[in-house]
Amino acid sequence: MPRLQLPTNLPFEVGALYNRRQQIHGLLGGQQQGGISTPNNSPFVILFTGEAGSQHGYGDHWEYEGGENILHYYGEGQAGDMQDSRGNRAIREHLHHNRMLLIFQSLGKSQPYRFLGEFRFIHAYEEHGVPDTSGALRKAIVFKLKPVEDDFNPFQKEVADSVLPEIDLSTTVSQQVQEIRVKQSLFKRRLLNVEKQCRLTGVADLRFLRASHIKPWSKCSSGTERVDGANGLLLTPHADLLFDRGWITFEDNGALVRSSHLPSDVASRIGLDLRSGRRCGGFDAKQKTYLEYHRNAVFETTFKKIDDPLSDLVSPALY
């Protein structure tokens, strides 16, 4: 079936932030509460994902399946078994009714929503033993949704451009490059379930952020580490450069640590609050493991290995 096209006047950009009531429903209509909105006489089904769903037993997550990144999205219904009706049926039948699935991510209470793009229904399955709002175990309907745009890259950089050369040596090399790009995309998507905004600036619009690994891609001991959302931070470009080169790091409690080698003139002009000890939000247990590596192997180490800063101005950094 050919891909449906978004109307050219639909003012949503992947990674950008929007007010749910005014900018989403004000334009598209639909219910302003709940996780699935089905505007009347509209070519859209609007889905919302985010932290609030966990209290109702929802656990939306990304998986790498058959060479593609698939979102497992939990259907609606806060109490008792989920039913194949209303919003759930609208997801399953959206192609039959020529409607597009648009997904927005909640960034928290009273916060804007981030547009994640257009998706397509692939398959649905049942998951048993999922708690409802009261804690009672019930049947959940989980939808496998495929993003229309496979390469999720509203960010400013790729995380592993230099792992394989961008040259057409063979079909095998081409396949390896493509697989790395899909894995990069999976890492970015999973990262959004862990980090919501830049730790140093509070910027949450992905178009102005970078998806930065805590433990560098090339140093990861397994593919699991490379695509683990806990192994990453959302940072603005200048904050990412400082973190990636090891000029700054974080303690487990979120305290910023600034290298004594960072020139004071640079620190005062770069436009960031780089006070050592400044609290930048807590980290979970998995993030702390990666941060330990960063403190021991990246902080005050990586920038000392750059022999020619001039060449680095025009060449991608090695990760």
Side-chain angles (χ1 to χ4, degrees):
M1 181 175 295
R3 175 187 169 185
L4 299 169
Q5 295 294 324
L6 289 171
T8 56
N9 61 345
L10 194 64
F12 298 138
E13 291 189 39
V14 174
L17 308 180
Y18 301 94
N19 176 278
R20 176 166 179 172
R21 173 179 240 176
Q22 298 171 351
Q23 296 176 294
I24 301 175
H25 295 296
L27 176 68
L28 305 179
Q31 307 94 308
Q32 298 186 19
Q33 301 292 329
I36 303 175
S37 183
T38 53
N40 292 327
N41 302 317
S42 167
F44 305 105
V45 176
I46 314 168
L47 311 184
F48 297 91
T49 182
E51 295 177 343
S54 60
Q55 62 183 303
H56 307 302
Y58 309 151
D60 302 344
H61 60 278
W62 286 91
E63 298 294 343
Y64 180 71
E65 302 174 4
E68 298 179 322
N69 296 323
I70 302 297
L71 174 63
H72 291 235
Y73 182 86
Y74 283 65
E76 67 180 4
Q78 298 182 5
D81 290 341
M82 293 185 184
Q83 304 297 320
D84 181 27
S85 61
R86 304 176 61 184
N88 294 332
R89 180 169 294 179
I91 294 176
R92 184 169 56 80
E93 297 181 347
H94 81 97
L95 287 174
H96 176 73
H97 294 291
N98 204 37
R99 305 178 81 179
M100 285 176 285
L101 296 180
L102 305 181
I103 299 188
F104 293 83
Q105 179 191 19
S106 169
L107 299 185
K109 187 176 181 180
S110 301
Q111 297 298 311
Y113 286 75
R114 177 185 289 137
F115 183 50
L116 298 184
E118 178 190 351
F119 286 67
R120 181 162 296 173
F121 169 77
I122 300 298
H123 178 66
Y125 64 92
E126 295 181 355
E127 183 175 329
H128 296 268
V130 176
D132 66 9
T133 304
S134 66
L137 300 183
R138 46 81 175 265
K139 175 192 72 178
I141 299 175
V142 186
F143 299 94
K144 291 187 178 185
L145 307 179
K146 181 182 182 301
V148 169
E149 296 294 342
D150 292 327
D151 184 16
F152 183 69
N153 192 30
F155 300 99
Q156 290 213 358
K157 75 172 183 181
E158 298 290 342
V159 296
D161 282 341
S162 56
V163 175
L164 287 174
E166 291 280 358
I167 53 179
D168 186 17
L169 293 180
S170 67
T171 301
T172 299
V173 171
S174 178
Q175 290 173 343
Q176 289 175 326
V177 171
Q178 178 59 27
E179 183 175 357
I180 284 179
R181 287 175 173 163
V182 174
K183 292 293 182 65
Q184 289 175 357
S185 179
L186 178 61
F187 163 69
K188 297 169 190 175
R189 295 177 187 277
R190 285 179 168 175
L191 174 58
L192 298 187
N193 287 333
V194 180
E195 295 284 298
K196 299 298 184 294
Q197 61 189 25
C198 173
R199 291 270 176 169
L200 295 184
T201 66
V203 172
D205 189 321
L206 299 186
R207 297 172 298 172
F208 302 93
L209 296 176
R210 292 184 172 179
S212 182
H213 273 90
I214 300 173
K215 183 176 183 179
W217 175 281
S218 63
K219 303 299 182 183
C220 290
S221 59
S222 67
T224 300
E225 287 188 344
R226 287 179 170 176
V227 298
D228 187 355
N231 184 22
L233 296 176
L234 292 175
L235 297 170
T236 53
H238 47 342
D240 169 72
L241 183 144
L242 294 175
F243 184 76
D244 185 68
R245 304 282 178 82
W247 295 106
I248 62 172
T249 191
F250 298 94
E251 298 287 1
D252 287 351
N253 63 5
L256 178 68
V257 183
R258 171 179 149 186
S259 171
S260 60
H261 298 282
L262 182 66
S264 58
D265 181 61
V266 173
S268 64
R269 292 174 181 272
I270 204 168
L272 294 171
D273 183 352
L274 298 176
R275 290 174 292 120
S276 289
R278 172 194 169 193
R279 294 302 179 90
C280 300
F283 297 97
D284 63 28
K286 292 185 69 177
Q287 289 178 299
K288 291 176 182 178
T289 300
Y290 293 114
L291 282 171
E292 181 179 11
Y293 180 93
H294 190 273
R295 290 192 296 267
N296 294 333
V298 178
F299 181 61
E300 293 195 327
T301 299
T302 300
F303 64 78
K304 295 178 181 178
K305 297 178 181 179
I306 300 176
D307 297 324
D308 185 3
L310 183 60
S311 66
D312 201 48
L313 291 176
V314 294
S315 302
L318 295 178
Y319 298 95

